[in-house]
Amino acid sequence: MADQDLLETDQPLLVAESLSKSYGRIAACREVSFSLYPGEVLAIVGESGSGKSTLLQLLSGQLAASGGQVAYRMRDGVTRDLAALGEAERRLLFRTDWGFVHQDPAQGLRMAVSAGANVGERLMAVGWNHYGRIRETASDWLTRVEIDVARIDDAPRTYSGGMRQRLQIARNLVTGPRLVFMDEPTGGLDVSVQARLLDLLRNLVAELQLAVVIVTHDLAVARLLSHRVMVMKGGRVIETGLTDQVLDDPREPYTQLLVSSILPP
Amino acid sequence: MNAPAYNFAYLDEQTKRMIRRAILKAIAIPGYQVPFASREMPMPYGWGTGGVQVTAAILGPQDVLKVIDQGSDDTTNAISIRKFFAKTAGVATTTSTDEATVIQTRHRIPETSLHENQVLVYQVPIPEPLRFLEPRETETRRMHALAEYGLMHVKLYEDIARFGHIATAYAYPVKVNARYVMDPSPTPKFDNPKMDNCPALQLFGAGREKRIYAIPPYTQVVSLDFEDHPFEPYRFNAPCALCAAENSYLDEIVTDDKGSRMFVCSDTDYCEGRQAAGHHGALSAAPYKDKAPETSNG
């Protein structure tokens, strides 16, 4: 059992190898390589247009890469190339073992159906067929993301921005994924709501041992959540390292600029 | 033939072959929606243009046609289509479910059980069961292809969360042959069990949406549900006011402006058959008919 656990954390979960994406002559992403281990939080920071979101889409298999490959270690322990997976397998992976938290909750939620059904959809998609149990699990998850269970039958349309974002997180985590992609999860929220959401995320990530790839332009988010940081500029990774190391002692001039541009509190 | 100006059954032979190919494909893949090049028909969309094209494609000179609308043989829609084929194909028509070989229907399955030599043609307004949950056609097609039907249960979940039970009363989604989820056209869910293991061939035509799908004879058709909220066919709990039937689907008919109403079989052929066999309901006019000669004497 102990050996099994060791093996579990010893091998990378997600491996990107010289990943590139170009749109004609524009290279949105060039030669990005890294490994992500189970339970590890990796922040990708950089300015607008630096290729962060493109990289996230490449990693999550939503976009076909122009070069390089992404490999993922499936639940059965076999590491497989994402591009070689069939569409059905990829979509199943997306619904079960992965989560994707969008910046705009309206993209990740079904705004017209109730919160309970939003959380329950993934369960029903993997064959849960017992209304009582689905509802119980949904209530449980709403509590965990600090949403009042009395609002389980309300549509997310009636929710505030912060609640929507928390609901989106619950919807993604209900199937117990091992890897979650987040695209600016705190963008568009006011500062106090951001702080609360980050606090919640940090607890959940630690509790569930999630591996996370989080794209953000907010260095404070990277500082709070991530173990490792990758700094991108012009489609390239220019600096990578432990979060504290990169943010406290930046090597590249661009990273120094980025770090120094944060207003002191 | 009454009207030699038309080809047999209105459509030209090439069109019929195209529709028959779609039908064969539909039968080969039970519940799968086959696209076809739907033609303009001499009636508005919503009147059964899909059903009429399917009927035209399968009709032969020896066939006996029955057309029902909400179970009734004598509504405008049913009479128009029956006359249309009587005129353009010269086929025999009937109102008897037993005698018919082709039955075109809107919103009902006849109460009398069907047999092997019959084809039931449904008129379908919206063939896609996932449409109101997922508006993108590309996405719903992909979901069918990969058998991703979790979304269908989301709809049933919403029903229970809102009303305490599955409140979908018509167009209740079914799974055909353990593979494709299908919209059984807007038939009441009371009729869903009749589709399962039915000896007759069932064809569905959607003219506006340009889709044909089918359930071959003796195919498993299961209504979707939850373990703790199983599928239940709904029937208003009363006997038919005319024929006293206890197990037929009932129409509610408002009889005055003071709230009076009566419940009668929606299947007129079934109801008349029972009345002819001597069954009389609470509001049946038949006893007065019997007395008619006496009053004329007096």
Side-chain angles (χ1 to χ4, degrees), chain A residues 87-88 91 95 110 113-114 116-117 121 124-125 129-135 153, chain B residues 133-134 139 142-143 146 148 150-151 153-154 157-158 160-161 225-229:
Chain A
E87 191 179 11
R91 284 170 71 110
R95 283 201 308 267
R110 291 192 189 276
V113 306
S114 70
E121 182 180 345
M124 294 183 241
N129 197 18
H130 191 285
Y131 174 81
R133 280 202 284 275
I134 292 169
R135 197 169 170 80
D153 291 332
Chain B
L133 300 150
E134 176 52 68
E139 188 63 19
R142 188 162 289 145
M143 289 159 86
L146 302 174
E148 285 178 10
L151 196 53
H153 273 93
V154 170
Y157 174 97
E158 283 290 277
I160 303 173
D225 58 3
F226 286 106
E227 283 165 24
D228 48 345
H229 289 267

Short mmCIF file of all heavy atoms in Angstrom, two decimals, chain A residues 87-88 91 95 110 113-114 116-117 121 124-125 129-135 153, chain B residues 133-134 139 142-143 146 148 150-151 153-154 157-158 160-161 225-229:
data_model
loop_
_atom_site.label_atom_id
_atom_site.label_comp_id
_atom_site.label_asym_id
_atom_site.label_seq_id
_atom_site.Cartn_x
_atom_site.Cartn_y
_atom_site.Cartn_z
N GLU A 87 -12.09 10.79 -29.09
CA GLU A 87 -12.88 11.91 -28.58
C GLU A 87 -13.72 11.49 -27.37
O GLU A 87 -13.85 12.24 -26.40
CB GLU A 87 -13.79 12.44 -29.68
CG GLU A 87 -14.42 13.76 -29.28
CD GLU A 87 -15.32 14.32 -30.36
OE1 GLU A 87 -15.62 13.62 -31.33
OE2 GLU A 87 -15.74 15.48 -30.20
N ALA A 88 -14.28 10.28 -27.43
CA ALA A 88 -15.11 9.81 -26.32
C ALA A 88 -14.28 9.73 -25.04
O ALA A 88 -14.72 10.17 -23.98
CB ALA A 88 -15.69 8.45 -26.66
N ARG A 91 -13.46 13.24 -23.75
CA ARG A 91 -14.61 13.89 -23.11
C ARG A 91 -14.93 13.25 -21.76
O ARG A 91 -15.36 13.93 -20.83
CB ARG A 91 -15.83 13.84 -24.04
CG ARG A 91 -15.72 14.83 -25.17
CD ARG A 91 -16.80 14.62 -26.19
NE ARG A 91 -18.11 14.98 -25.73
CZ ARG A 91 -18.80 16.03 -26.16
NH1 ARG A 91 -18.29 16.80 -27.07
NH2 ARG A 91 -20.00 16.29 -25.69
N ARG A 95 -14.92 15.02 -18.03
CA ARG A 95 -16.08 15.01 -17.14
C ARG A 95 -15.80 14.37 -15.79
O ARG A 95 -16.55 14.54 -14.86
CB ARG A 95 -17.22 14.22 -17.78
CG ARG A 95 -17.98 14.90 -18.84
CD ARG A 95 -19.33 14.23 -18.97
NE ARG A 95 -19.23 12.79 -19.14
CZ ARG A 95 -19.19 12.18 -20.30
NH1 ARG A 95 -19.24 12.88 -21.39
NH2 ARG A 95 -19.12 10.87 -20.38
N ARG A 110 -24.65 25.72 -16.36
CA ARG A 110 -25.90 25.85 -17.11
C ARG A 110 -26.75 26.84 -16.34
O ARG A 110 -27.27 26.52 -15.27
CB ARG A 110 -26.62 24.52 -17.23
CG ARG A 110 -25.88 23.58 -18.10
CD ARG A 110 -26.65 22.35 -18.48
NE ARG A 110 -25.73 21.44 -19.15
CZ ARG A 110 -25.43 21.51 -20.43
NH1 ARG A 110 -25.99 22.41 -21.20
NH2 ARG A 110 -24.57 20.65 -20.96
N VAL A 113 -30.63 25.96 -15.38
CA VAL A 113 -31.07 24.87 -14.52
C VAL A 113 -30.55 25.08 -13.10
O VAL A 113 -29.59 25.82 -12.88
CB VAL A 113 -30.66 23.47 -15.06
CG1 VAL A 113 -31.11 23.28 -16.48
CG2 VAL A 113 -29.17 23.26 -14.96
N SER A 114 -31.19 24.44 -12.13
CA SER A 114 -30.92 24.73 -10.73
C SER A 114 -29.49 24.37 -10.32
O SER A 114 -28.80 23.61 -11.01
CB SER A 114 -31.91 23.96 -9.85
OG SER A 114 -31.61 22.59 -9.90
N GLY A 116 -28.52 22.52 -7.90
CA GLY A 116 -28.43 21.09 -7.62
C GLY A 116 -28.18 20.29 -8.89
O GLY A 116 -27.33 19.39 -8.91
N ALA A 117 -28.90 20.63 -9.96
CA ALA A 117 -28.72 19.91 -11.22
C ALA A 117 -27.36 20.23 -11.83
O ALA A 117 -26.75 19.38 -12.46
CB ALA A 117 -29.84 20.28 -12.20
N GLU A 121 -25.02 17.15 -12.61
CA GLU A 121 -24.92 16.75 -14.02
C GLU A 121 -23.77 15.78 -14.28
O GLU A 121 -23.93 14.77 -14.95
CB GLU A 121 -24.76 17.98 -14.92
CG GLU A 121 -24.72 17.56 -16.38
CD GLU A 121 -24.57 18.73 -17.34
OE1 GLU A 121 -24.78 19.89 -16.91
OE2 GLU A 121 -24.26 18.49 -18.50
N MET A 124 -24.69 12.37 -13.03
CA MET A 124 -25.64 11.69 -13.91
C MET A 124 -24.94 11.25 -15.19
O MET A 124 -25.27 10.22 -15.77
CB MET A 124 -26.81 12.62 -14.23
CG MET A 124 -27.65 12.93 -13.01
SD MET A 124 -29.08 13.95 -13.39
CE MET A 124 -28.77 15.39 -12.40
N ALA A 125 -23.94 12.04 -15.61
CA ALA A 125 -23.22 11.69 -16.83
C ALA A 125 -22.39 10.42 -16.66
O ALA A 125 -22.10 9.74 -17.63
CB ALA A 125 -22.32 12.83 -17.26
N ASN A 129 -28.01 7.16 -10.91
CA ASN A 129 -29.41 7.06 -11.31
C ASN A 129 -30.35 7.08 -10.12
O ASN A 129 -31.42 6.52 -10.15
CB ASN A 129 -29.59 5.78 -12.14
CG ASN A 129 -30.86 5.79 -12.94
OD1 ASN A 129 -31.44 6.86 -13.16
ND2 ASN A 129 -31.32 4.63 -13.35
N HIS A 130 -29.90 7.70 -9.03
CA HIS A 130 -30.73 7.72 -7.82
C HIS A 130 -30.88 9.18 -7.38
O HIS A 130 -29.92 9.79 -6.90
CB HIS A 130 -30.06 6.88 -6.74
CG HIS A 130 -30.95 6.62 -5.55
ND1 HIS A 130 -31.21 7.60 -4.62
CD2 HIS A 130 -31.62 5.52 -5.16
CE1 HIS A 130 -32.03 7.11 -3.69
NE2 HIS A 130 -32.29 5.85 -4.01
N TYR A 131 -32.07 9.72 -7.57
CA TYR A 131 -32.31 11.14 -7.30
C TYR A 131 -31.88 11.55 -5.89
O TYR A 131 -31.18 12.54 -5.70
CB TYR A 131 -33.79 11.46 -7.51
CG TYR A 131 -34.16 12.88 -7.13
CD1 TYR A 131 -33.93 13.92 -8.02
CD2 TYR A 131 -34.74 13.17 -5.90
CE1 TYR A 131 -34.26 15.22 -7.68
CE2 TYR A 131 -35.07 14.47 -5.55
CZ TYR A 131 -34.82 15.49 -6.45
OH TYR A 131 -35.13 16.77 -6.11
N GLY A 132 -32.27 10.76 -4.91
CA GLY A 132 -31.97 11.10 -3.51
C GLY A 132 -30.48 11.22 -3.26
O GLY A 132 -30.01 12.16 -2.63
N ARG A 133 -29.72 10.27 -3.81
CA ARG A 133 -28.27 10.29 -3.58
C ARG A 133 -27.60 11.44 -4.33
O ARG A 133 -26.68 12.07 -3.82
CB ARG A 133 -27.65 8.95 -4.00
CG ARG A 133 -27.84 7.87 -2.95
CD ARG A 133 -26.80 6.77 -3.12
NE ARG A 133 -27.13 5.89 -4.23
CZ ARG A 133 -27.95 4.84 -4.13
NH1 ARG A 133 -28.53 4.56 -2.99
NH2 ARG A 133 -28.20 4.10 -5.18
N ILE A 134 -28.09 11.72 -5.54
CA ILE A 134 -27.52 12.83 -6.31
C ILE A 134 -27.73 14.13 -5.56
O ILE A 134 -26.84 14.95 -5.40
CB ILE A 134 -28.18 12.91 -7.71
CG1 ILE A 134 -27.77 11.70 -8.56
CG2 ILE A 134 -27.79 14.21 -8.42
CD1 ILE A 134 -28.56 11.55 -9.82
N ARG A 135 -28.94 14.28 -5.01
CA ARG A 135 -29.30 15.52 -4.32
C ARG A 135 -28.50 15.66 -3.02
O ARG A 135 -28.04 16.74 -2.68
CB ARG A 135 -30.79 15.50 -4.01
CG ARG A 135 -31.33 16.86 -3.68
CD ARG A 135 -32.83 16.81 -3.65
NE ARG A 135 -33.37 18.03 -3.10
CZ ARG A 135 -33.51 19.15 -3.80
NH1 ARG A 135 -33.12 19.19 -5.04
NH2 ARG A 135 -34.01 20.23 -3.23
N ASP A 153 -32.30 24.80 -5.18
CA ASP A 153 -33.22 24.75 -6.33
C ASP A 153 -33.27 26.05 -7.12
O ASP A 153 -34.09 26.19 -8.03
CB ASP A 153 -34.62 24.36 -5.86
CG ASP A 153 -34.66 22.92 -5.39
OD1 ASP A 153 -33.85 22.11 -5.90
OD2 ASP A 153 -35.47 22.60 -4.52
N LEU B 133 -32.27 21.59 -23.88
CA LEU B 133 -31.19 21.66 -22.91
C LEU B 133 -29.90 22.08 -23.58
O LEU B 133 -29.06 22.73 -22.98
CB LEU B 133 -30.99 20.29 -22.26
CG LEU B 133 -32.23 19.79 -21.52
CD1 LEU B 133 -32.28 18.28 -21.54
CD2 LEU B 133 -32.22 20.30 -20.11
N GLU B 134 -29.74 21.70 -24.84
CA GLU B 134 -28.51 22.01 -25.56
C GLU B 134 -28.90 22.54 -26.94
O GLU B 134 -29.25 21.77 -27.81
CB GLU B 134 -27.63 20.76 -25.66
CG GLU B 134 -26.38 20.94 -26.48
CD GLU B 134 -25.56 22.13 -26.04
OE1 GLU B 134 -25.00 22.08 -24.94
OE2 GLU B 134 -25.48 23.13 -26.80
N GLU B 139 -23.45 19.96 -31.18
CA GLU B 139 -23.19 19.37 -29.87
C GLU B 139 -24.14 18.20 -29.59
O GLU B 139 -23.72 17.16 -29.11
CB GLU B 139 -23.34 20.47 -28.80
CG GLU B 139 -22.91 20.06 -27.41
CD GLU B 139 -21.42 19.72 -27.29
OE1 GLU B 139 -20.64 20.12 -28.17
OE2 GLU B 139 -21.08 19.04 -26.30
N ARG B 142 -23.06 15.16 -31.44
CA ARG B 142 -21.90 14.55 -30.82
C ARG B 142 -22.32 13.77 -29.57
O ARG B 142 -21.82 12.68 -29.31
CB ARG B 142 -20.90 15.64 -30.44
CG ARG B 142 -19.58 15.13 -29.96
CD ARG B 142 -18.54 16.22 -30.05
NE ARG B 142 -18.18 16.51 -31.42
CZ ARG B 142 -17.86 17.72 -31.87
NH1 ARG B 142 -17.87 18.74 -31.07
NH2 ARG B 142 -17.53 17.89 -33.13
N MET B 143 -23.25 14.34 -28.82
CA MET B 143 -23.71 13.65 -27.60
C MET B 143 -24.39 12.33 -27.95
O MET B 143 -24.21 11.33 -27.26
CB MET B 143 -24.66 14.56 -26.82
CG MET B 143 -23.94 15.73 -26.18
SD MET B 143 -25.02 17.11 -25.78
CE MET B 143 -25.61 16.62 -24.20
N LEU B 146 -21.68 9.78 -28.97
CA LEU B 146 -20.88 9.25 -27.87
C LEU B 146 -21.76 8.72 -26.74
O LEU B 146 -21.26 8.36 -25.67
CB LEU B 146 -19.94 10.33 -27.35
CG LEU B 146 -18.98 10.92 -28.38
CD1 LEU B 146 -18.21 12.09 -27.81
CD2 LEU B 146 -18.02 9.85 -28.89
N GLU B 148 -23.68 10.26 -24.70
CA GLU B 148 -23.58 11.06 -23.48
C GLU B 148 -24.97 11.59 -23.14
O GLU B 148 -25.39 12.63 -23.64
CB GLU B 148 -22.64 12.24 -23.71
CG GLU B 148 -21.19 11.86 -23.75
CD GLU B 148 -20.29 13.06 -24.04
OE1 GLU B 148 -20.75 14.20 -24.03
OE2 GLU B 148 -19.09 12.80 -24.26
N GLY B 150 -26.23 12.14 -19.92
CA GLY B 150 -26.42 12.67 -18.57
C GLY B 150 -27.35 13.86 -18.56
O GLY B 150 -28.13 14.05 -17.63
N LEU B 151 -27.30 14.64 -19.62
CA LEU B 151 -28.09 15.86 -19.70
C LEU B 151 -29.59 15.57 -19.68
O LEU B 151 -30.38 16.35 -19.13
CB LEU B 151 -27.72 16.59 -20.99
CG LEU B 151 -28.13 18.05 -21.09
CD1 LEU B 151 -27.62 18.81 -19.89
CD2 LEU B 151 -27.60 18.66 -22.36
N HIS B 153 -31.06 13.32 -17.99
CA HIS B 153 -31.46 13.15 -16.60
C HIS B 153 -31.50 14.47 -15.86
O HIS B 153 -32.21 14.59 -14.86
CB HIS B 153 -30.54 12.15 -15.90
CG HIS B 153 -30.98 10.73 -16.06
ND1 HIS B 153 -30.52 9.93 -17.07
CD2 HIS B 153 -31.88 9.99 -15.36
CE1 HIS B 153 -31.11 8.74 -16.98
NE2 HIS B 153 -31.93 8.75 -15.96
N VAL B 154 -30.72 15.46 -16.33
CA VAL B 154 -30.78 16.78 -15.70
C VAL B 154 -32.20 17.34 -15.81
O VAL B 154 -32.74 17.91 -14.87
CB VAL B 154 -29.77 17.75 -16.36
CG1 VAL B 154 -29.99 19.17 -15.89
CG2 VAL B 154 -28.35 17.31 -16.04
N TYR B 157 -34.28 15.53 -13.33
CA TYR B 157 -33.89 16.01 -12.01
C TYR B 157 -34.60 17.33 -11.70
O TYR B 157 -35.15 17.52 -10.62
CB TYR B 157 -32.37 16.19 -11.93
CG TYR B 157 -31.91 16.83 -10.63
CD1 TYR B 157 -31.45 16.05 -9.58
CD2 TYR B 157 -31.98 18.22 -10.45
CE1 TYR B 157 -31.05 16.63 -8.39
CE2 TYR B 157 -31.60 18.81 -9.26
CZ TYR B 157 -31.13 18.02 -8.24
OH TYR B 157 -30.76 18.60 -7.05
N GLU B 158 -34.58 18.24 -12.69
CA GLU B 158 -35.21 19.54 -12.51
C GLU B 158 -36.70 19.39 -12.22
O GLU B 158 -37.26 20.11 -11.39
CB GLU B 158 -35.03 20.40 -13.77
CG GLU B 158 -33.65 20.99 -13.90
CD GLU B 158 -33.39 22.08 -12.88
OE1 GLU B 158 -33.79 23.22 -13.10
OE2 GLU B 158 -32.78 21.76 -11.84
N ILE B 160 -38.21 16.88 -10.73
CA ILE B 160 -38.42 16.40 -9.37
C ILE B 160 -38.12 17.51 -8.37
O ILE B 160 -38.86 17.73 -7.41
CB ILE B 160 -37.55 15.16 -9.07
CG1 ILE B 160 -37.85 14.06 -10.09
CG2 ILE B 160 -37.83 14.64 -7.67
CD1 ILE B 160 -36.92 12.87 -9.98
N ALA B 161 -37.02 18.26 -8.62
CA ALA B 161 -36.65 19.33 -7.70
C ALA B 161 -37.76 20.38 -7.64
O ALA B 161 -38.02 20.96 -6.59
CB ALA B 161 -35.34 19.98 -8.16
N ASP B 225 -35.75 7.19 -16.25
CA ASP B 225 -36.25 7.54 -14.93
C ASP B 225 -35.12 7.46 -13.91
O ASP B 225 -33.96 7.20 -14.26
CB ASP B 225 -37.41 6.63 -14.52
CG ASP B 225 -37.02 5.16 -14.50
OD1 ASP B 225 -35.84 4.84 -14.75
OD2 ASP B 225 -37.89 4.32 -14.24
N PHE B 226 -35.44 7.70 -12.64
CA PHE B 226 -34.50 7.50 -11.55
C PHE B 226 -34.92 6.26 -10.76
O PHE B 226 -36.11 5.93 -10.71
CB PHE B 226 -34.50 8.71 -10.62
CG PHE B 226 -33.80 9.91 -11.18
CD1 PHE B 226 -34.52 10.99 -11.63
CD2 PHE B 226 -32.42 9.96 -11.26
CE1 PHE B 226 -33.88 12.11 -12.14
CE2 PHE B 226 -31.78 11.06 -11.78
CZ PHE B 226 -32.51 12.14 -12.22
N GLU B 227 -33.95 5.62 -10.10
CA GLU B 227 -34.27 4.43 -9.31
C GLU B 227 -35.33 4.74 -8.26
O GLU B 227 -36.24 3.94 -8.01
CB GLU B 227 -33.00 3.94 -8.58
CG GLU B 227 -32.04 3.19 -9.47
CD GLU B 227 -30.67 3.03 -8.82
OE1 GLU B 227 -30.59 3.09 -7.59
OE2 GLU B 227 -29.70 2.88 -9.58
N ASP B 228 -35.21 5.93 -7.61
CA ASP B 228 -36.16 6.25 -6.55
C ASP B 228 -37.36 7.06 -7.07
O ASP B 228 -38.23 7.42 -6.30
CB ASP B 228 -35.46 6.99 -5.41
CG ASP B 228 -34.58 8.13 -5.90
OD1 ASP B 228 -34.29 8.18 -7.10
OD2 ASP B 228 -34.18 8.96 -5.08
N HIS B 229 -37.37 7.36 -8.36
CA HIS B 229 -38.55 7.98 -8.97
C HIS B 229 -38.82 7.29 -10.30
O HIS B 229 -38.53 7.81 -11.36
CB HIS B 229 -38.32 9.49 -9.21
CG HIS B 229 -38.31 10.30 -7.96
ND1 HIS B 229 -39.45 10.91 -7.47
CD2 HIS B 229 -37.34 10.59 -7.08
CE1 HIS B 229 -39.16 11.54 -6.34
NE2 HIS B 229 -37.88 11.37 -6.09
#
